[in-house]
């Protein structure tokens, strides 16, 4: 039997966490674990008033951890994230899946986490601590506390690129997720499902440092899998992922960015 404890705020729920507890946001991760008989926890903690919605802070846009994919699709100000949210599951999943939960989704999920890493987002914890997305994703299994929101700057029109490679259309899980932010001389290129968590492809970033051109795209594709470590699963082998990653990186960059 799994006990459920409800607190008013995320900060109070964070204080109520402990050994054998999981936080329930939208439920797309935790309830699957419950249904499959996961014995790793015996308590579920939830917040009656999680931060949900889009606002502004000193970094730019602030997206509450309780914001769902459907919420993102309803906000014109987040149009650059519509291609990401719109390809996460079907309507029922998008109505439940939250931004905060997606940061902890393991392969082959976590498409929004890959996009937010490319966008150089910051993770804001209940209590006020802030972590760069790259550090958070690398250490997420050891993070303590609860995510309250993420913060990011809105990209310039056409600067954000995204592509999801799936065997099932329109709502299949990703074989590979790709995202990039091309701004000035500091591009960010991210692959999902090419390591245990979404990772930046630093070699590809260096190749794109001068901007997107036919030559720089070719150079980036030639080195894009350096430092990544894809694995085998039911969707694809590590070999297949490494082979098709340059193909889809080229297609993403040649297709142009999102507004």
């Amino acid at each position: 039997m799994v006990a459920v404890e409800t607190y008013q705020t995320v900060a109070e729920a964070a204080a109520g966490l402990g050994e054998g507890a999981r936080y329930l946001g939208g439920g797309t991760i935790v309830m699957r674990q419950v249904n499959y008989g996961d014995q790793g926890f015996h308590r579920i903690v939830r917040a009656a008033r999680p931060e949900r919605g889009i606002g502004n802070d000193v970094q730019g846009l602030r997206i509450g951890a309780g914001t769902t994919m459907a919420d993102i699709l309803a906000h014109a100000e987040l149009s650059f994230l519509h291609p990401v949210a719109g390809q996460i599951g079907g309507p029922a999943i998008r109505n439940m899946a939250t931004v905060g939960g997606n940061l902890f989704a393991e392969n082959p999920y976590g498409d929004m986490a890959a996009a937010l890493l490319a966008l150089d987002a910051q993770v804001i914890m209940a209590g006020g601590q802030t972590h760069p997305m790259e550090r958070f994703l690398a250490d997420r299994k050891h993070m303590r506390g609860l995510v309250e929101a993420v913060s990011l700057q809105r990209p310039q029109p056409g600067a954000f690129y995204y592509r999801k490679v799936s065997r099932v259309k329109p709502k299949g899980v990703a074989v590979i997720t790709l995202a990039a932010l091309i701004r000035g001389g500091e591009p960010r290129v991210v692959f999902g499902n090419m390591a245990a968590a979404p990772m930046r492809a630093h070699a590809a970033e260096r190749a794109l440092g001068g901007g997107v051109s036919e030559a720089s795209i070719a150079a980036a594709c030639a080195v894009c899998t350096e430092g990544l470590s894809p694995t085998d699963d039911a969707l694809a082998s590590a070999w297949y992922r490494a082979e098709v990653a340059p193909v889809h990186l080229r297609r993403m960059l040649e297709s142009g960015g999102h507004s």
Side-chain angles (χ1 to χ4, degrees):
M1 176 68 70
V2 179
V4 179
E5 300 172 8
T6 301
Y7 296 84
Q8 289 302 303
T9 66
V10 174
E12 292 171 353
L17 282 175
E19 292 298 323
R22 293 288 189 277
Y23 179 75
L24 177 67
T28 57
I29 297 175
V30 171
M31 293 313 299
R32 183 172 69 244
Q33 294 172 332
V34 171
N35 292 336
Y36 278 90
D38 191 325
Q39 300 297 307
F41 60 97
H42 59 271
R43 294 170 53 236
I44 289 177
V45 172
R46 61 183 297 271
R49 298 197 305 271
E51 183 173 339
R52 180 174 179 177
I54 294 90
N56 297 285
D57 64 10
V58 293
Q59 296 293 327
L61 294 171
R62 179 183 173 108
I63 306 174
T67 303
T68 67
M69 301 304 138
D71 293 334
I72 289 175
L73 290 169
H75 277 264
E77 194 173 7
L78 295 179
S79 59
F80 60 97
L81 286 176
H82 288 182
V84 186
Q87 295 183 61
I88 294 178
I93 292 295
R94 291 193 290 270
N95 279 330
M96 298 297 293
T98 63
V99 170
N102 203 261
L103 301 185
F104 294 92
E106 297 184 354
N107 294 341
Y109 307 102
D111 303 334
M112 185 60 71
L116 292 174
L117 175 57
L119 289 163
D120 198 16
Q122 302 290 308
V123 180
I124 304 168
M125 307 296 290
Q129 309 96 324
T130 301
H131 304 287
M133 185 64 70
E134 186 169 14
R135 183 193 307 162
F136 176 87
L137 292 175
D139 298 336
R140 63 185 178 181
K141 288 188 176 180
H142 307 290
M143 285 286 177
R144 295 292 180 264
L146 294 175
V147 176
E148 188 167 71
V150 296
S151 180
L152 67 152
Q153 293 183 356
R154 193 187 195 288
Q156 292 296 315
F160 176 65
Y161 297 70
Y162 179 76
R163 185 177 182 86
K164 179 175 180 176
V165 182
S166 175
R167 295 186 184 276
V168 180
K169 308 296 183 182
K171 59 179 183 177
V173 295
V175 174
I176 300 175
T177 301
L178 305 91
L181 180 66
I182 310 297
R183 58 180 182 188
E186 299 179 350
R188 296 172 66 90
V189 178
V190 170
F191 282 95
N193 297 300
M194 289 290 285
M199 283 187 63
R200 291 173 63 185
H202 292 287
E205 292 175 352
R206 290 191 292 271
L208 291 169
V212 176
S213 66
E214 184 176 345
S216 68
I217 291 175
C221 291
V223 299
C224 68
T225 60
E226 290 184 10
L228 304 180
S229 54
T231 58
D232 300 327
D233 61 23
L235 294 172
S237 66
W239 173 86
Y240 178 81
R241 286 188 166 95
E243 287 294 305
V244 302
V247 175
H248 289 289
L249 177 61
R250 175 180 289 279
R251 290 176 180 175
M252 179 184 74
L253 293 174
E254 289 180 343
S255 66
H258 300 284
S259 298

